[in-house]
Amino acid sequence: MAIERTFSMIKPDATKRNLTGAITKMLEDAGLRVIASKRVWMSKREAEGFYAVHKERPFFGELVEGMTSGPTVVQVLEGEGAILKNREIMGATNPANADEGTIRKTHALSIGENSVHGSDAPETAAQEIAYWFSETEIVG
Protein backbone atom coordinates (compact mmCIF):
# COMPACT_ATOMS: atom_id res chain seq x y z
CA MET A 1 0.00 0.00 0.00
CA ALA A 2 1.04 3.54 -0.67
CA ILE A 3 1.41 6.46 1.69
CA GLU A 4 -1.73 8.55 1.35
CA ARG A 5 -3.59 11.36 3.05
CA THR A 6 -7.09 11.40 4.42
CA PHE A 7 -9.40 13.79 6.19
CA SER A 8 -10.53 13.19 9.76
CA MET A 9 -12.93 15.13 11.94
CA ILE A 10 -13.54 14.91 15.67
CA LYS A 11 -17.16 16.00 16.02
CA PRO A 12 -18.75 18.31 18.61
CA ASP A 13 -20.18 15.46 20.71
CA ALA A 14 -16.59 14.28 21.31
CA THR A 15 -14.94 17.68 21.76
CA LYS A 16 -17.60 18.60 24.36
CA ARG A 17 -16.53 15.53 26.34
CA ASN A 18 -12.84 16.49 26.05
CA LEU A 19 -11.96 13.44 23.91
CA THR A 20 -9.75 15.16 21.32
CA GLY A 21 -6.52 13.79 22.78
CA ALA A 22 -7.89 10.28 23.37
CA ILE A 23 -9.20 10.02 19.80
CA THR A 24 -6.03 11.46 18.28
CA LYS A 25 -3.99 8.95 20.30
CA MET A 26 -6.08 6.09 18.87
CA LEU A 27 -5.39 7.39 15.35
CA GLU A 28 -1.67 7.74 16.02
CA ASP A 29 -1.47 4.34 17.72
CA ALA A 30 -2.97 2.87 14.52
CA GLY A 31 0.01 4.23 12.58
CA LEU A 32 -1.47 7.48 11.24
CA ARG A 33 0.36 10.82 11.52
CA VAL A 34 -1.46 14.10 12.07
CA ILE A 35 0.06 16.49 9.52
CA ALA A 36 -2.51 19.28 9.93
CA SER A 37 -5.00 20.01 12.67
CA LYS A 38 -7.18 22.87 13.81
CA ARG A 39 -10.15 23.46 16.05
CA VAL A 40 -13.07 25.20 14.35
CA TRP A 41 -16.62 26.10 15.25
CA MET A 42 -18.53 25.52 12.03
CA SER A 43 -20.96 28.13 10.85
CA LYS A 44 -24.26 26.95 9.41
CA ARG A 45 -22.97 27.88 5.94
CA GLU A 46 -19.77 25.86 6.42
CA ALA A 47 -21.65 22.81 7.69
CA GLU A 48 -24.17 22.99 4.84
CA GLY A 49 -21.33 23.28 2.33
CA PHE A 50 -19.30 20.46 3.81
CA TYR A 51 -22.29 18.11 3.96
CA ALA A 52 -23.91 19.30 0.69
CA VAL A 53 -23.88 15.72 -0.63
CA HIS A 54 -26.56 14.93 2.00
CA LYS A 55 -28.72 18.01 1.30
CA GLU A 56 -31.74 16.02 0.08
CA ARG A 57 -31.61 13.46 2.88
CA PRO A 58 -34.12 13.69 5.74
CA PHE A 59 -31.38 13.95 8.40
CA PHE A 60 -29.62 16.95 6.78
CA GLY A 61 -31.06 19.58 9.12
CA GLU A 62 -30.26 17.55 12.20
CA LEU A 63 -26.74 16.91 10.88
CA VAL A 64 -26.08 20.62 10.31
CA GLU A 65 -27.51 21.46 13.73
CA GLY A 66 -25.27 18.90 15.43
CA MET A 67 -22.15 19.98 13.59
CA THR A 68 -22.69 23.64 14.51
CA SER A 69 -23.40 22.87 18.19
CA GLY A 70 -19.79 23.10 19.35
CA PRO A 71 -16.15 23.00 18.33
CA THR A 72 -14.88 20.44 15.85
CA VAL A 73 -11.30 19.33 15.25
CA VAL A 74 -10.45 18.91 11.57
CA GLN A 75 -7.31 16.99 10.68
CA VAL A 76 -5.26 15.68 7.81
CA LEU A 77 -3.85 12.24 8.48
CA GLU A 78 -1.05 10.57 6.57
CA GLY A 79 0.11 7.00 6.47
CA GLU A 80 0.21 3.69 4.68
CA GLY A 81 -3.33 3.10 3.35
CA ALA A 82 -4.54 6.02 5.47
CA ILE A 83 -8.11 6.12 4.14
CA LEU A 84 -8.89 2.49 4.90
CA LYS A 85 -6.89 2.49 8.13
CA ASN A 86 -8.78 5.55 9.40
CA ARG A 87 -12.14 3.98 8.52
CA GLU A 88 -11.16 0.78 10.31
CA ILE A 89 -10.12 2.56 13.52
CA MET A 90 -13.29 4.72 13.42
CA GLY A 91 -15.55 1.66 13.31
CA ALA A 92 -19.09 1.31 12.00
CA THR A 93 -21.25 4.46 11.89
CA ASN A 94 -23.65 2.89 14.36
CA PRO A 95 -21.57 2.34 17.52
CA ALA A 96 -23.73 -0.67 18.40
CA ASN A 97 -22.32 -2.38 15.29
CA ALA A 98 -18.73 -1.16 15.72
CA ASP A 99 -15.93 -3.56 16.58
CA GLU A 100 -14.37 -3.49 20.04
CA GLY A 101 -11.41 -1.14 20.28
CA THR A 102 -12.67 1.25 17.59
CA ILE A 103 -13.26 4.94 18.23
CA ARG A 104 -17.02 4.68 17.83
CA LYS A 105 -17.37 1.59 20.03
CA THR A 106 -15.26 3.29 22.70
CA HIS A 107 -16.53 6.89 22.52
CA ALA A 108 -19.67 7.36 20.39
CA LEU A 109 -22.99 8.09 22.11
CA SER A 110 -25.32 7.11 19.27
CA ILE A 111 -25.56 6.79 15.50
CA GLY A 112 -26.10 10.57 15.32
CA GLU A 113 -23.43 11.44 17.90
CA ASN A 114 -20.79 9.09 16.58
CA SER A 115 -17.76 11.24 17.52
CA VAL A 116 -15.79 11.13 14.25
CA HIS A 117 -15.94 11.46 10.48
CA GLY A 118 -13.45 10.22 7.92
CA SER A 119 -13.13 10.31 4.15
CA ASP A 120 -14.29 7.23 2.26
CA ALA A 121 -12.23 7.52 -0.95
CA PRO A 122 -9.21 9.37 -2.39
CA GLU A 123 -11.45 11.86 -4.24
CA THR A 124 -13.50 12.59 -1.12
CA ALA A 125 -10.32 12.96 0.95
CA ALA A 126 -8.92 15.52 -1.50
CA GLN A 127 -12.19 17.52 -1.50
CA GLU A 128 -12.60 17.44 2.28
CA ILE A 129 -8.97 18.38 2.96
CA ALA A 130 -9.22 21.30 0.50
CA TYR A 131 -12.46 22.46 2.17
CA TRP A 132 -10.71 23.07 5.50
CA PHE A 133 -6.99 23.47 4.76
CA SER A 134 -4.74 25.46 2.45
CA GLU A 135 -1.57 23.76 1.20
CA THR A 136 0.57 25.88 3.54
CA GLU A 137 -1.28 24.47 6.58
CA ILE A 138 -0.36 20.88 5.74
CA VAL A 139 3.10 20.42 7.15
CA GLY A 140 3.79 16.69 7.14
Side-chain angles (χ1 to χ4, degrees), residues 38-75:
K38 60 185 169 184
R39 191 175 185 93
V40 299
W41 196 312
M42 279 188 217
S43 69
K44 183 177 180 186
R45 181 186 59 77
E46 287 171 327
E48 288 173 343
F50 186 77
Y51 287 105
V53 66
H54 299 301
K55 190 171 179 75
E56 300 306 319
R57 296 225 165 117
F59 61 82
F60 183 71
E62 184 180 333
L63 176 62
V64 169
E65 186 178 317
M67 294 309 297
T68 59
S69 68
T72 299
V73 175
V74 292
Q75 299 177 319

Side-chain angles (χ1 to χ4, degrees), residues 39-123:
R39 191 175 185 93
V40 299
W41 196 312
M42 279 188 217
S43 69
K44 183 177 180 186
R45 181 186 59 77
E46 287 171 327
E48 288 173 343
F50 186 77
Y51 287 105
V53 66
H54 299 301
K55 190 171 179 75
E56 300 306 319
R57 296 225 165 117
F59 61 82
F60 183 71
E62 184 180 333
L63 176 62
V64 169
E65 186 178 317
M67 294 309 297
T68 59
S69 68
T72 299
V73 175
V74 292
Q75 299 177 319
V76 180
L77 306 176
E78 186 176 75
E80 189 100 9
I83 295 168
L84 181 59
K85 189 174 285 189
N86 185 41
R87 295 194 66 76
E88 288 172 355
I89 193 63
M90 285 191 314
T93 302
N94 184 344
N97 300 332
D99 290 338
E100 289 296 328
T102 62
I103 293 168
R104 289 179 173 145
K105 188 64 156 188
T106 305
H107 297 298
L109 299 173
S110 67
I111 194 167
E113 292 181 306
N114 61 21
S115 301
V116 289
H117 164 85
S119 301
D120 60 0
E123 302 78 25

Side-chain angles (χ1 to χ4, degrees), residues 23-41:
I23 290 171
T24 300
K25 182 174 179 1
M26 291 176 81
L27 295 167
E28 291 177 333
D29 287 350
L32 297 168
R33 275 185 350 121
V34 177
I35 60 170
S37 181
K38 60 185 169 184
R39 191 175 185 93
V40 299
W41 196 312

